[in-house]
């Protein structure tokens, strides 16, 4: 039963940003943030910037996708309430495949920083065809996946918003 520790898996292309990190960590009593992003994990400046946005008193670890999987399988992580952040839906699928007891799967901000043809799903979410197909995969793994920018905003079930896409 160790995998109860992933309280929230969230897609947010800005990863950690002040206000949002604050509201989610508070509302879910998160004590650790794991950023799963290949690019950020190899970039010291980006790591520093992300860590500056972490609310005080919260541990933050920035790993590659593979590194994050390993870390989250470590029994030491069991005792923590973790929020795992990815930049893309595709990366979220990678993690969702490995862990079957994530409490909440949530798409925050996605697609605004990506160029190319996109389908606008909500004010915060626009998906390329590739991300849309990842989205469908994520919904298969986690049917309760929601689109929700902050805990105070309304929750929309992803499966209802993309069923005709």
């Amino acid at each position: 039963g160790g995998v109860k520790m992933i309280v929230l898996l969230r897609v947010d292309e800005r990863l950690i940003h002040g206000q949002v990190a604050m509201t989610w960590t508070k509302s879910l009593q998160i004590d650790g943030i794991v950023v799963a992003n290949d690019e950020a994990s190899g970039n010291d400046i980006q790591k520093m910037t992300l860590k500056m946005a972490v609310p005080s008193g919260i541990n933050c670890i920035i790993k590659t996708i593979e590194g994050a999987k390993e870390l989250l399988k470590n029994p030491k992580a069991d005792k923590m309430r973790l929020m795992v952040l990815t930049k893309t839906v595709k990366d979220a699928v990678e993690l969702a495949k490995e862990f079957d007891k994530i409490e909440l799967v949530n798409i925050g901000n996605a697609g605004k920083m990506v160029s190319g043809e996109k389908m606008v799903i909500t004010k915060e979410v626009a998906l390329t065809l590739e991300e849309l197909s990842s989205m469908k995969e994520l919904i298969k793994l986690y049917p309760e996946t929601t689109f929700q920018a902050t805990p105070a905003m309304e929750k929309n079930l992803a499966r209802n918003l993309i069923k005709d896409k």
Side-chain angles (χ1 to χ4, degrees), residues 29 37 41 44 52 56 62 67 69 89 100 124 131 153 158:
Q29 281 119 38
N37 183 263
S41 75
D44 289 339
M52 280 163 62
S56 65
I62 300 164
K69 285 183 197 172
V89 181
D100 58 2
E124 286 86 20
E131 281 284 86
M153 285 171 74

Side-chain angles (χ1 to χ4, degrees), residues 60-77:
C60 174
I61 299 177
I62 300 164
K63 293 275 192 193
T64 59
I65 301 296
E66 286 306 316
K69 285 183 197 172
E70 225 165 281
L71 174 83
L72 293 164
K73 286 177 180 168
N74 183 323
K76 279 202 194 105

Side-chain angles (χ1 to χ4, degrees), residues 21-40:
M22 196 60 127
T23 55
W24 284 105
T25 48
K26 265 214 175 84
S27 80
L28 298 173
Q29 281 119 38
I30 299 292
D31 47 33
I33 295 175
V34 177
V35 172
N37 183 263
D38 291 352
E39 212 180 320

Side-chain angles (χ1 to χ4, degrees), residues 105-118:
V105 179
N106 163 272
I107 314 299
N109 297 280
K112 295 222 175 113
M113 300 176 176
V114 183
S115 52
E117 211 176 307
K118 289 178 292 200

Side-chain angles (χ1 to χ4, degrees), residues 29-100:
Q29 281 119 38
I30 299 292
D31 47 33
I33 295 175
V34 177
V35 172
N37 183 263
D38 291 352
E39 212 180 320
S41 75
N43 179 329
D44 289 339
I45 292 176
Q46 203 180 346
K47 278 209 278 212
M48 207 166 69
T49 314
L50 287 170
K51 288 195 166 165
M52 280 163 62
V54 176
S56 65
I58 290 176
N59 283 315
C60 174
I61 299 177
I62 300 164
K63 293 275 192 193
T64 59
I65 301 296
E66 286 306 316
K69 285 183 197 172
E70 225 165 281
L71 174 83
L72 293 164
K73 286 177 180 168
N74 183 323
K76 279 202 194 105
D78 289 359
K79 295 174 192 55
M80 298 187 79
R81 291 181 61 82
L82 299 175
M83 165 158 88
V84 180
L85 290 166
T86 68
K87 217 172 201 167
T88 63
V89 181
K90 189 175 176 219
D91 286 349
V93 169
E94 274 299 295
L95 292 162
K97 277 185 194 154
E98 300 277 326
F99 302 101
D100 58 2

